[in-house]
Amino acid sequence: MIIVLFGKPGAGKGTQAPLLASALDIPTLATGDTLRAAIRAGTPLGLEAKSFMDRGDLVPDSVILKIAAEELSKPAYATGVILDGVVRTVPQAEGLAKMLETLGGGRKVDAVLAFDIDNDEIVRRLSTRTVCEKCQTPYTGHAVGDTCEKCGGKLVRRKDDDPDAVRTRLSVYDEQTAPVLAWYQHAGNNVAVVNAVGSVADVTARALKALGK
């Protein structure tokens, strides 16, 4: 089963991905984490991505897709994967579909989970969010400087979680990413809208129900 997690920044994709992965017994692939790891390791793709980032440019879809393809070709993802952050633009959605066909075995996106939440809640949620500076695990209600429960790293607040920065990110989402959902619906993919307001456990239960689990 290949599942795409979709939604606004702060909708809870990063929180839900490992919980759904555990429940479904398939791994996750977060392109942001994979991209940062490739940059730290100095791989050819990592260096290519870094060249764009150093200029202040967005990493192009072609590089994101190459990194995703490199990962998805590994045996660990043969039985399925939960994709978090892979599909942010229509060209990425189109590229992912072609890539899965190339990998063979009848692989395709089986479901798109769209986490739904309003902008005011997003701003409130992200302005109180911290993340581990090492493993990027997100936390809500934890203070800057606290210790990550997963790896022991220090919790920090991202600059792009400032309320003004969040509103800018939401504008970019509306312009570039929201059309992806319409693309998947038009392409005939199984798209399920999940109410992302409530406890983490409640949202997980809704997501699993949407998948028929």
Side-chain angles (χ1 to χ4, degrees):
M1 178 175 280
I2 297 177
I3 302 168
V4 170
L5 300 190
F6 190 83
K8 300 173 183 176
K13 302 183 295 297
T15 298
Q16 291 298 325
L19 299 174
L20 294 172
S22 177
L24 299 170
D25 195 27
I26 55 176
T28 63
L29 174 58
T31 47
D33 294 344
T34 304
L35 179 61
R36 285 186 286 270
I39 291 171
R40 286 195 300 270
T43 67
L45 283 175
L47 293 174
E48 185 177 355
K50 187 175 185 297
S51 69
F52 289 97
M53 297 168 68
D54 287 348
R55 295 195 299 269
D57 296 332
L58 292 174
V59 179
D61 293 333
S62 59
V63 177
I64 296 294
L65 288 169
K66 286 177 184 176
I67 288 175
E70 191 174 79
E71 285 295 306
L72 289 175
S73 65
K74 296 178 179 177
Y77 301 102
T79 59
V81 64
I82 293 176
L83 299 170
D84 173 15
V86 173
V87 184
R88 297 181 185 271
T89 66
V90 170
Q92 284 184 19
E94 294 171 339
L96 176 63
K98 292 177 182 176
M99 176 209 309
L100 292 174
E101 288 180 6
T102 301
L103 289 173
R107 304 182 80 182
K108 61 181 179 60
V109 172
D110 296 292
V112 178
L113 292 181
F115 292 98
D116 185 45
I117 186 169
D118 66 49
N119 286 359
D120 288 340
E121 175 62 16
I122 290 284
V123 172
R124 185 202 66 77
R125 183 180 289 187
L126 290 188
S127 65
T128 60
R129 180 176 75 171
T130 51
V131 298
C132 175
E133 65 179 354
K134 288 185 178 180
C135 70
Q136 299 299 306
T137 298
Y139 291 88
T140 300
H142 288 62
V144 171
D146 283 355
T147 300
C148 174
E149 298 168 3
K150 184 176 179 180
C151 74
K154 185 174 70 173
L155 301 190
V156 298
R157 179 159 291 122
R158 293 175 177 166
K159 291 181 180 179
D160 60 359
D161 282 345
D162 175 83
D164 288 340
V166 171
R167 292 186 182 94
T168 298
R169 292 167 64 192
L170 289 171
S171 295
V172 172
Y173 172 89
D174 289 338
E175 179 181 343
Q176 296 183 2
T177 308
V180 175
L181 194 59
W183 184 89
Y184 274 118
Q185 290 169 328
H186 185 264
N189 289 93
N190 176 25
V191 177
V193 178
V194 178
N195 179 1
V197 179
S199 71
V200 171
D202 284 346
V203 176
T204 304
R206 291 174 199 147
L208 290 172
K209 183 177 180 181
L211 293 170
K213 304 296 181 179

